[in-house]
């Protein structure tokens, strides 16, 4: 067969962990056209994210904010990893401090990106984890 | 209706918002997310920002009046404000929030108070300018409001 077969883009399941509506609205719009489509789950804080994962939620990618009520992104990452979940986790924060990124990585996240999320940042993340 | 004149006004106004540092590239990114299925996306997100930020300004003001001041809480409020502002490309607001956070870190109450006043002024100015911008956009209507036309 001449030429490479077109790479089939699959629907990916993403869990967005974010307490603020404005960031959720923006992320929803960005994710709408990503990959071959996105099944988007949302959690308003880290505790809700851990519960969703513990209750069997299977995700291809978890995007989590740092500062949230009830449980922050660092702790949620630690607890998700403690469940034995190996899903890629990307930390998000409005501060782009090295300390923020380090804390996420130490907690078990695979990557960090400063907010706001953009098409370029999202494409980089999806490519990194073979989800594009 | 003189659409070409309106378009010129819109382009000029947007350029001015960027040139004067009120907005940055994130605003363009927001406009790129607007399409036929969500024709008022940008205005809705901006409205969300002003709703959030008005509440945050009030909360920051109240927190500054308490004694002793809780600089951790003040920093947290400014952090939220900064994040919210950056999501619409509100550059001046974002920078002033960074200044406020720096004052919190130094436990500099007077610095926080001065910074809050600047944040309030920038907030009011940006709100007024964006309201005018969206009013102009509404005049051209959704059909003419193709995002890339305004770049």
């Amino acid at each position: 067969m001449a030429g490479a077969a077109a790479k089939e883009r699959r629907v990916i399941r993403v869990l967005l962990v974010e307490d603020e509506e404005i960031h959720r609205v923006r992320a929803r719009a960005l994710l709408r056209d990503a990959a071959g489509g996105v099944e988007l789950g949302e959690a308003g804080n880290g505790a809700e994210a851990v519960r969703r994962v513990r209750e069997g939620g299977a995700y291809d990618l978890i995007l989590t904010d740092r500062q949230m009520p009830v449980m922050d992104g660092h702790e949620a990452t630690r607890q998700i990893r403690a469940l034995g979940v190996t899903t890629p986790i990307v930390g998000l924060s409005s501060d782009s401090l090295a300390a923020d990124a380090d804390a996420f990585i130490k907690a078990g996240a695979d990557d960090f990106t400063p907010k706001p999320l953009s098409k370029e940042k999202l494409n980089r993340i999806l490519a990194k984890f073979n989800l594009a | 209706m003189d659409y070409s004149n309106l378009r010129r006004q819109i382009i000029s106004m947007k350029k001015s918002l960027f040139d004067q540092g009120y907005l940055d590239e994130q605003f363009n990114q927001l406009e790129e997310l607007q399409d036929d299925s969500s024709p008022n996306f940008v205005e809705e997100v901006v409205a969300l920002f002003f709703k959030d930020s008005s509440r945050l300004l009030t909360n920051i003001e109240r927190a500054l009046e308490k004694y002793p001041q809780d600089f951790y809480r003040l920093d947290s409020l400014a952090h939220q404000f900064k994040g919210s502002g950056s999501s619409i490309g509100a550059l001046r607001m974002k920078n002033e929030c960074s200044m406020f956070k720096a004052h919190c870190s130094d436990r500099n109450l007077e610095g926080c108070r001065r910074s809050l006043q600047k944040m309030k002024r920038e907030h009011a100015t940006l709100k007024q300018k964006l309201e005018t911008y969206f009013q102009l956009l509404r005049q051209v209507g959704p059909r003419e409001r193709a995002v890339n036309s305004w770049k």
Side-chain angles (χ1 to χ4, degrees):
Chain A
M1 192 178 298
K7 189 178 170 187
E8 204 173 296
R9 299 170 83 210
R10 63 181 181 96
V11 174
I12 59 172
R13 294 153 302 178
V14 178
L15 177 62
L16 174 66
V17 191
E18 171 62 67
D19 61 316
E20 295 188 55
E21 178 64 12
I22 193 170
H23 295 300
R24 287 202 297 269
V25 165
R26 192 181 160 115
R28 275 178 217 139
L30 276 166
L31 287 163
R32 186 180 57 209
D33 301 321
V38 172
E39 280 176 22
L40 181 64
E42 296 183 23
N45 59 63
E48 199 184 320
V50 174
R51 182 185 57 76
R52 278 177 161 255
V53 172
R54 184 184 292 122
E55 287 174 3
Y59 300 99
D60 297 300
L61 176 68
I62 298 173
L63 299 170
T64 176
D65 186 22
R66 174 180 69 85
Q67 182 173 295
M68 291 179 287
V70 184
M71 185 188 290
D72 70 17
H74 296 153
E75 182 57 27
T77 300
R78 265 190 288 275
Q79 291 199 21
I80 288 170
R81 288 294 182 239
L83 293 170
V85 170
T86 57
T87 301
I89 298 176
V90 177
L92 307 168
S93 176
S94 302
D95 285 326
S96 50
L97 300 170
D100 257 350
D102 285 345
F104 260 118
I105 302 301
K106 280 193 177 114
D110 299 278
D111 204 340
F112 169 87
T113 191
K115 287 200 282 194
L117 200 57
S118 66
K119 258 189 203 164
E120 290 71 29
K121 289 174 187 171
L122 181 61
N123 287 342
R124 181 189 70 77
I125 289 166
L126 295 178
K128 177 172 179 174
F129 299 112
N130 296 316
L131 298 171
Chain B
M1 181 168 284
D2 184 359
Y3 284 117
S4 58
N5 189 36
L6 263 174
R7 272 197 290 272
R8 268 194 297 275
Q9 281 184 60
I10 289 166
I11 290 169
S12 169
M13 177 153 201
K14 188 174 165 186
K15 185 175 185 306
S16 164
L17 286 166
F18 275 76
D19 289 346
Q20 292 175 39
Y22 287 103
L23 295 177
D24 67 20
E25 172 57 26
Q26 293 304 325
F27 188 81
N28 281 334
Q29 299 234 356
L30 206 59
E31 287 192 321
E32 284 174 17
L33 294 173
Q34 183 162 294
D35 61 16
D36 290 342
S37 67
S38 51
N40 301 310
F41 178 74
V42 180
E43 197 171 349
E44 286 165 6
V45 175
V46 168
L48 257 177
F49 165 70
F50 282 112
K51 184 178 149 204
D52 278 351
S53 54
S54 296
R55 174 182 54 82
L56 286 165
L57 280 171
T58 301
N59 289 345
I60 289 171
E61 197 148 34
R62 283 184 189 150
L64 274 174
E65 285 163 13
K66 284 191 175 165
Y67 184 82
Q69 284 76 30
D70 181 347
F71 286 102
Y72 179 81
R73 173 160 164 74
L74 284 164
D75 179 84
S76 174
L77 291 168
H79 181 81
Q80 278 183 59
F81 200 143
K82 183 181 170 186
S84 192
S86 66
S87 71
I88 68 158
L91 180 60
R92 283 197 189 185
M93 293 277 7
K94 189 178 81 168
N95 290 342
E96 201 52 51
C97 288
S98 293
M99 284 299 302
F100 188 95
K101 281 165 65 71
H103 291 313
C104 290
S105 183
D106 294 338
R107 302 180 73 81
N108 179 352
L109 179 60
E110 269 318 300
C112 285
R113 286 187 176 137
R114 279 196 307 273
S115 193
L116 174 64
Q117 294 313 310
K118 280 191 197 168
M119 283 159 71
K120 286 165 80 172
R121 282 196 297 272
E122 292 292 347
H123 185 260
T125 304
L126 182 63
K127 188 171 187 200
Q128 187 216 358
K129 286 180 182 289
L130 284 175
E131 274 171 0
T132 305
Y133 177 70
F134 288 122
Q135 265 168 25
L136 286 173
L137 280 178
R138 272 182 242 125
Q139 284 181 57
V140 296
R143 196 166 181 277
E144 290 282 334
R145 215 186 310 161
V147 167
N148 289 332
S149 303
W150 313 126
K151 286 197 173 173

